[in-house]
Amino acid sequence: MALLTVLCYPDPRLHKVAKPVAQVDVRIKKIVADMAQTMYDAPGVGLAATQVDIHERIVVIDVSDNQDELMVFINPELIWASPEKKSWREGCLSVPEYYDEVDRPAVIRVKALDINGKEFEIEADGLLSVCLQHEMDHLQGKVFVEYLSMLKRNRISLKMKKRAKELVGER
């Protein structure tokens, strides 16, 4: 397993739409393992392949208290969303140190393939629902800050660009 580099907003690669995985094979399983290690190391509760510059429809999530219940979603597809909305304070590994409220459907149903290529469906609410929607947005090239006002997005973008320059200067 290897740690992958997480792209930071406003990197344009975060806006690429991910392609479906054609076959769950050894290569995909290695990507999943590397993504899981990267997510746990960050630490985070979810990671989409887009965030590590792999533009395939792969998501890893672990919302358990002990971070020992890895969930893998390959080619996830939203098949139902409740009309009821819920607001959550979201953060993102691609937008470090920034959190804001986002309204999303409270309950969703998702169809995907697991790590062995077997299709499954899951109904999710609470943090899992938010995390799944957030990561699936990444696969569509959308970052959570795009739900915020233009003023907030611009402020975040400037802050992230400044942070990137400071990090380069430290090397």
Side-chain angles (χ1 to χ4, degrees):
M1 291 188 291
L3 286 179
L4 304 170
T5 301
V6 177
L7 301 176
C8 281
Y9 183 81
D11 191 307
R13 293 172 290 180
L14 288 169
H15 298 293
K16 282 188 176 179
V17 176
K19 304 267 188 270
V21 170
Q23 180 182 348
V24 179
D25 55 17
V26 173
R27 182 184 70 83
I28 296 298
K29 289 179 180 183
K30 176 162 181 7
I31 290 170
V32 166
D34 292 347
M35 285 175 60
Q37 183 180 358
T38 303
M39 176 188 70
Y40 288 131
D41 187 70
V45 295
L47 186 67
T50 302
Q51 292 177 269
V52 291
D53 203 21
I54 297 170
H55 302 283
E56 295 182 74
R57 296 187 56 77
I58 306 168
V59 167
V60 295
I61 291 176
D62 190 338
V63 294
S64 67
D65 291 337
N66 297 326
Q67 292 228 298
D68 60 358
E69 296 176 23
L70 181 68
M71 301 176 80
V72 177
F73 298 84
I74 298 169
N75 296 336
E77 181 184 329
L78 183 68
I79 56 176
W80 177 82
S82 69
E84 176 194 352
K85 302 278 188 200
K86 182 140 171 99
S87 182
W88 284 80
R89 188 167 171 80
E90 293 188 29
C92 182
L93 297 178
S94 293
V95 191
E97 301 170 15
Y98 188 82
Y99 301 86
D100 213 323
E101 297 288 322
V102 177
D103 284 340
R104 297 187 183 272
V107 183
I108 61 168
R109 194 170 302 122
V110 171
K111 177 172 70 173
L113 301 177
D114 67 14
I115 190 67
N116 297 309
K118 187 174 187 288
E119 189 174 291
F120 70 98
E121 282 187 22
I122 186 169
E123 189 166 297
D125 61 3
L127 181 57
L128 179 57
S129 172
V130 172
C131 196
L132 263 167
Q133 291 175 78
H134 178 110
E135 301 309 335
M136 288 172 62
D137 275 353
H138 278 299
L139 300 179
Q140 296 300 323
K142 187 170 186 176
V143 181
F144 91 100
V145 297
E146 292 171 45
Y147 288 98
L148 308 177
S149 71
M150 184 63 83
L151 178 67
K152 283 185 178 180
R153 278 199 311 266
N154 288 340
R155 195 176 301 146
I156 295 164
S157 181
L158 288 171
K159 193 181 290 186
M160 292 296 114
K161 287 176 183 173
K162 181 179 178 189
R163 184 175 185 268
K165 283 181 186 172
E166 289 169 356
L167 289 174
V168 169
E170 291 175 6
R171 290 184 188 156

